[in-house]
Every structure is written in C-alpha cells, then in structure tokens.
C-alpha cells in the first residue's frame, strides 16, 4: 500500500469533518457542495492507497482516484451557483451532466484506446454542460455568452486532442479546465472581492495548473523529482481560502449589523454620524450638504392602537418609500423609533432643500396599504445647511432637530391616521 498518502488522508478527513459540522449549523447550499467536494477528495486519497504496480487493483485505484478528483471539481463548480434553483432538479441535472466526463476519466485509466468512444463522450459532455451551466437566472447576457464560450472552447480543445490520439493530454486538459471553471464560478458567485475570495480563486487556479505542469515536467525534465506534498499544496490552500471566506462573510455581517437598522436595513444613527463627520470635513473645503431630521406624524397613534407588528411593517414601507426619493450618494438612516435622517451632499441653498422636503412630504402623504386597509401619516422635517449654518456636526444636528420640532409644533395639515 502507498502509505505516503496517510497524512493527506487524515488532513482531508479533518477538513470534511469541519465542513460537515459547519453545514449542520448553517444549512447553506454552497456549504453542502463544498462538503461533497472534500468528500470526493477524501475518496481520491483513499484510492491513492493502492499498491504500486500494473495489476487490476492498481488500475481500478487509478480510475477511482481520477474520477473522484474530477467529481470534486464539479462539486466546487456547483458551489459557485451554476445550478438550477430546484434542489431535485439540480441534483439530477448535475449528476447527468457530470457522467460523460467521469466516464471519460475512468475509461482512460482502464487503458481503453478507442477514439470514437472518447469523441462521443466529449461531445455528449459538451452538449450537457452548455444548458447546465449557461442558464443562470438574473444574470447579464454577456456573462452567459462568456460562460458558453468557455464551455465550447474547453470541449473543443478536448475533442481536438482526442481526434489526434493524445488521450493522456486530453485527460490532463479535462482536469485542468474543470478546476479553472471552479475558480471562475467561485469568483462570480462571491458578493465582495475580499482577501479570502481572491486567495481562494488563485488557489483554484493553482490547483488547475498542477496537472499540466506535472505533465510537462515529466515530459521535458524527467530527472526532476517533486514531492507529492508540493502537488497537493493547492488543495490545502483552497481549503484555507474557503474557511477564510466564511470568516470574512461573518465579519461583514457583524459590521453590517452594527451600522444598519435591523428592522428597515437602512443605516442607523452610528453610520449616519460617521457620514456626517465626513461630510463636515468636506464642507470645510467648500463642499456643502444638507442634514434633514424627519419625524413621522400620527405614527404613534397607529402603533399604540393597532400594535407594534403593524407599526414595524409601516416603518419598513416608509423606509422603502424614502429610498425611492434619495439619490445614490445620499445617506438615509433610521435614528430612532419613528425618526429618520437624510444627509444630502452638494446642496447649499434653502430652495433646493425645500424641493426635497416637498417630495418627501408628498410621498409620505400617500396612503400606506397594509392588509387591504389604508393608513395615512405625515412627517415633520427640519434641516440644517452646511457650511451656511456652520460645520460643527453636533450643532448642525441640534439645529436640524430643533427645526423639526418647530415644524411639528406649527401643526402641518395632515390627514387622519386611520
């Protein structure tokens, strides 16, 4: 037996345990595919325990090892979000789509040299992959075309190698492009370009390059011996990158929760104050802004009479309506129970501020429909201009708040609450 793979077997076994435990806690589809991918890598190393030689057991071990390695790349590719949304459909379609490539690997490992068989498997594999990986929803057409082009080139080159009787090179290319595709899918599926995402993507690329580099070294520099641990290093780099990516995502979630209101998912007071400090620093250099404080009128009456659940839904609808008014570079925040604030850069005149206030008042006077019942509220709004009213953030906030209460006391004409 090849006992040199025992350390890798133990290490990958530990990784499988880690990803399975994480899956039990989070139940993410992506984690499920990652766990399946590492299980296939574990099977790959189990198959590598085969004895050296040219017997049937060794040949079977080679077939299982190669097929398991290819299957792991397919699982990592699925984790990038290239599958249909239905779990039953994704499982069936994924299995059927991967079968031609897996059979391709197995028959090569078994020493079969019938070219028509490999050509047929290549064409069937390409025909299955095109609809499988190129029909993602909510995606730009250009990305679909790019993915389709990648599939066509990958299988086209594989077919060319098969037709020129370069079966081993075709196998190397098959493994290489699958892991390249996993790298592309992982990067495309990531919401942010974080350190973990970049590191994992490059590690998948390194894993893909292991196959052609090893082949070229054996062909051109046969006297150079590279330890198996070097070839296996990209696997552990990918595992490290995946775990770092999960950790970063948790950190992003905590940061988002610290700076956003849990109910409306808009910035909270803390984020507003940070944006206000930056705006004041820019105002000192001649870049004006307006800070508006908005308090809902008649909201408390609805909240007290009909309950907090309905009041929460109403606040969410108010936040959504305000998001439709503010610009992309404005800051909309919920700073209290029914108080909101809006920070608008590049406004330095009262008439321009009044235009925005009129839009907000008009929008909030429109009825809010909840469970087939219309509710009417309004808003009292105060604002402060900077640098016209100063650049001290505390003074500006206090001035806008004071003017908001003055507007509320003035008693705007607001329809009945219910």
């Amino acid at each position: 037996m090849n006992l040199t793979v025992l350390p890798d077997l133990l290490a990958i076994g530990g990784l499988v345990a880690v990803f399975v435990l994480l899956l039990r806690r989070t139940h993410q589809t992506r984690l499920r595919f990652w766990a399946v991918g590492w299980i296939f890598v574990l099977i790959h190393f189990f198959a590598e325990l085969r004895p050296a030689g040219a017997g049937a057991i060794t040949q079977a071990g080679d077939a299982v090892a190669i097929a398991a390695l290819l299957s792991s790349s397919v699982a990592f590719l699925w984790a990038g979000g290239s599958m249909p949304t239905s779990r039953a459909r994704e499982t069936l379609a994924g299995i059927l789509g991967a079968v031609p490539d897996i059979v391709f690997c197995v028959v090569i490992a078994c020493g079969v040299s019938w070219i028509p068989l490999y050509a047929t498997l290549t064409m069937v594999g390409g025909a299955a992959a095109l609809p499988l990986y190129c029909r993602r929803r909510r995606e730009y057409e250009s990305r679909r075309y790019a993915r389709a082009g990648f599939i066509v080139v990958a299988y086209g080159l594989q077919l060319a190698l098969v037709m020129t009787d370069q079966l081993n090179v075709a196998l190397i290319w098959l493994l290489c492009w699958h892991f390249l595709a996993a790298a592309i899918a992982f990067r495309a599926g990531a919401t942010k370009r974080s350190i973990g995402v970049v590191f994992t993507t490059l590690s998948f690329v390194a894993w893909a390059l292991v196959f052609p580099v090893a082949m070229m070294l054996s062909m051109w520099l046969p006297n150079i011996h590279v330890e198996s641990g070097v070839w296996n290093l990209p696997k552990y780099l990918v595992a490290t990158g995946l775990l770092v990516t999960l950790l970063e995502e948790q950190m992003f979630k905590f940061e988002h929760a610290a700076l956003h209101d849990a109910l409306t998912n808009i910035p909270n007071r803390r984020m507003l104050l940070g944006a206000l400090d930056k705006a004041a620093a820019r105002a000192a250099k001649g870049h004006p802004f307006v800070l508006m404080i908005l308090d809902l009128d008649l909201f408390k009456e609805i909240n007290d009479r009909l309950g907090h659940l309905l009041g929460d839904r109403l606040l969410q609808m108010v936040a959504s309506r305000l998001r439709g008014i503010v610009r992309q570079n404005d800051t909309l925040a919920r700073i209290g129970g029914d108080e909101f604030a809006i920070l608008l850069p590049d406004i330095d005149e009262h008439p321009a501020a009044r235009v925005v206030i009129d839009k907000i008042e008009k929008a909030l006077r429109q009825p809010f429909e909840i469970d087939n019942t219309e509710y009417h509220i309004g808003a009292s709004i105060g604002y402060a201009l900077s640098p016209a009213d100063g650049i001290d953030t505390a003074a500006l906030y206090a001035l806008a708040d004071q003017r908001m209460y003055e507007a509320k006391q003035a008693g705007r004409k607001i329809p009945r609450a219910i």
Side-chain angles (χ1 to χ4, degrees):
M1 295 181 67
N2 181 18
L3 299 180
T4 59
V5 301
L6 278 178
D8 295 304
L9 203 58
L10 294 174
I12 297 299
L15 280 174
V16 169
V18 168
F19 280 99
V20 169
L21 289 174
L22 289 173
L23 177 61
R24 292 181 62 182
R25 294 181 63 88
T26 62
H27 303 287
Q28 293 183 16
T29 300
R30 179 185 57 174
L31 266 177
R32 185 173 79 249
F33 287 132
W34 286 354
V36 169
W38 291 114
I39 289 173
F40 278 123
V41 175
L42 185 64
I43 295 172
H44 165 79
F45 280 114
F46 264 119
E48 289 288 331
L49 286 172
R50 72 197 185 289
I57 296 178
T58 301
Q59 195 175 61
D62 287 339
V64 172
I66 295 174
L69 201 57
L70 181 71
S71 299
S72 71
S73 71
V74 174
F76 292 130
L77 182 57
W78 294 350
S82 298
M83 300 297 296
T85 55
S86 168
R87 180 174 296 185
R89 288 180 58 196
E90 75 182 19
T91 302
L92 179 61
I95 291 174
L96 294 177
V99 164
D101 293 335
I102 294 174
V103 174
F104 189 100
C105 294
V106 170
V107 291
I108 283 185
C110 292
V112 178
S113 58
W114 190 32
I115 300 299
L117 173 62
Y118 294 109
T120 301
L121 289 172
T122 300
M123 290 186 287
V124 172
L130 273 175
L132 185 62
Y133 297 120
C134 301
R135 60 179 179 182
R136 291 179 64 180
R137 299 177 180 179
R138 298 178 182 178
E139 186 177 51
Y140 294 114
E141 289 293 329
S142 59
R143 292 187 179 181
R144 292 185 183 181
Y145 292 142
R147 186 178 290 106
F150 180 87
I151 295 294
V152 170
V153 170
Y155 280 100
L157 181 55
Q158 181 178 320
L159 182 61
L161 292 171
V162 167
M163 298 307 295
T164 55
D165 200 16
Q166 301 182 67
L167 298 181
N168 288 331
V169 179
L171 174 62
I172 294 298
W173 169 243
L174 178 64
L175 292 168
C176 176
W177 80 254
H178 267 79
F179 282 99
L180 284 177
I184 295 171
F186 178 81
R187 177 63 190 90
T191 56
K192 292 187 177 182
R193 187 182 296 179
S194 63
I195 295 175
V197 169
V198 173
F199 182 84
T200 307
T201 303
L202 294 177
S203 298
F204 269 122
V205 173
W207 196 345
L209 294 178
V210 160
F211 306 105
V213 170
M215 180 190 68
M216 288 185 288
L217 282 178
S218 64
M219 291 173 56
W220 299 334
L221 299 171
N223 295 327
I224 295 181
H225 174 72
V226 179
E227 295 292 336
S228 60
V230 175
W231 302 121
N232 291 328
L233 180 60
K235 298 180 179 68
Y236 302 111
L237 295 179
V238 168
T240 301
L242 294 178
L243 293 174
V244 170
T245 301
L246 289 176
L247 179 61
E248 286 178 332
E249 288 175 354
Q250 290 302 312
M251 293 173 61
F252 291 147
K253 288 181 180 179
F254 292 146
E255 182 181 0
H256 182 87
L259 297 175
H260 288 78
D261 175 56
L263 178 64
T264 60
N265 199 35
I266 62 175
N268 57 16
R269 182 189 295 269
R270 180 180 177 184
M271 188 170 180
L272 172 72
L273 293 178
L276 186 58
D277 288 336
K278 294 179 181 178
R282 296 182 71 247
K285 299 178 182 179
H287 300 281
F289 69 90
V290 172
L291 173 65
M292 293 184 178
I293 304 295
L294 181 155
D295 184 84
L296 300 181
D297 297 319
L298 302 180
F299 173 80
K300 187 176 185 301
E301 178 183 344
I302 297 175
N303 200 47
D304 291 344
R305 290 182 57 185
L306 301 176
H308 296 293
L309 291 179
L310 189 142
D312 288 347
R313 292 175 64 184
L314 185 55
L315 287 172
Q316 290 171 338
M317 296 175 72
V318 168
S320 177
R321 199 168 287 186
L322 291 174
R323 274 197 297 262
I325 297 174
V326 299
R327 301 166 299 181
Q328 187 175 3
N329 61 335
D330 297 336
T331 301
L332 168 65
R334 182 184 176 211
I335 57 177
D338 62 346
E339 284 194 40
F340 295 81
I342 305 176
L343 184 64
L344 304 101
D346 303 321
I347 293 181
D348 59 353
E349 296 179 348
H350 291 279
R354 285 300 318 173
V355 169
V356 179
I357 290 176
D358 290 341
K359 287 182 180 180
I360 295 173
E361 291 178 340
K362 181 179 179 181
L364 296 185
R365 285 195 182 116
Q366 299 300 315
F368 293 85
E369 183 175 337
I370 302 176
D371 297 332
N372 298 320
T373 301
E374 290 187 351
Y375 300 92
H376 297 268
I377 61 173
S380 298
I381 305 173
Y383 69 94
L385 291 169
S386 182
D389 293 324
I391 59 174
D392 181 75
T393 56
L396 289 169
Y397 194 99
L399 179 59
D401 201 47
Q402 176 187 342
R403 288 175 176 172
M404 181 271 293
Y405 280 108
E406 290 174 355
K408 184 175 288 290
Q409 291 171 2
R412 296 184 183 277
K413 295 179 180 180
I414 302 170
R416 290 179 57 83
I418 304 173

